Amino acid sequence: MRPVTRAVVTGVAALTVATLAGCGGSAADGPAGSGGKVDVVASFYPLEFIARQVGGDAVKVTTLTAPGVEPHDLELTPKQVGHIAQAKLVVFEKNLQPAVDEAIDQNAKKTGFDVAPARAARGHRRQLRGGRRRGSRGQGRACRLHR
């Protein structure tokens, strides 16, 4: 993940975790074993890492994709779908893992957080700067929204 994308995703995730932590009830409200922490489900490792860094000791992060498994080919177990349904926050990238998209649509519409718009915002920012990319030459094009 590039530094700008990482900063955007981290910032948005931090706001989301802080908001959910403020709305959290007692430890008895959460799934067994959460210990009063906010339950967060991440669809694959980079998102798990970000959630752990942002949430620190206030979150219990579960990842859906085991190490060494191709994220695109993930098939969820019923237990994983249960984790998605019970989590306070589910961090995922839409259209990367169809099984995760479907589970969120069915069980976690309000708690799902798609990081894809943060990536799109990065592209829009590049267009605002003139559309120049590494190795490009000549004039950049203006963003179609700001022509």
Side-chain angles (χ1 to χ4, degrees):
M1 202 178 308
R2 294 188 178 188
V4 173
T5 303
R6 187 176 312 136
V8 170
V9 170
T10 302
V12 173
L15 289 173
T16 304
V17 170
T19 301
L20 289 173
C23 296
S26 67
D29 294 317
S34 65
K37 296 182 177 188
V38 176
D39 287 312
V40 178
V41 173
S43 62
F44 57 99
Y45 176 72
L47 299 180
E48 174 192 5
F49 177 79
I50 292 169
R52 285 187 196 282
Q53 294 300 308
V54 171
D57 293 336
V59 297
K60 176 183 171 236
V61 182
T62 305
T63 188
L64 300 173
T65 308
V69 174
E70 174 61 36
H72 299 91
D73 299 333
L74 178 67
E75 293 184 22
L76 297 175
T77 65
K79 184 177 180 180
Q80 289 174 314
V81 174
H83 285 304
I84 290 171
Q86 293 178 354
K88 292 281 189 178
L89 174 66
V90 182
V91 184
F92 73 108
E93 183 173 346
K94 192 159 185 73
N95 299 323
L96 179 69
Q97 297 171 300
V100 174
D101 293 347
E102 184 178 336
I104 289 171
D105 285 343
Q106 293 176 1
N107 301 295
K109 283 186 178 182
K110 292 182 180 179
T111 58
F113 177 74
D114 179 13
V115 299
R119 292 183 66 213
R122 184 181 157 274
H124 180 73
R125 184 172 167 203
R126 176 182 292 146
Q127 289 176 337
L128 289 175
R129 287 192 313 233
R132 295 187 63 143
R133 298 176 190 225
R134 289 184 201 152
S136 67
R137 295 186 181 192
Q139 283 287 34
R141 297 182 314 257
C143 171
R144 65 181 163 86
L145 298 174
H146 298 281
R147 288 184 188 171

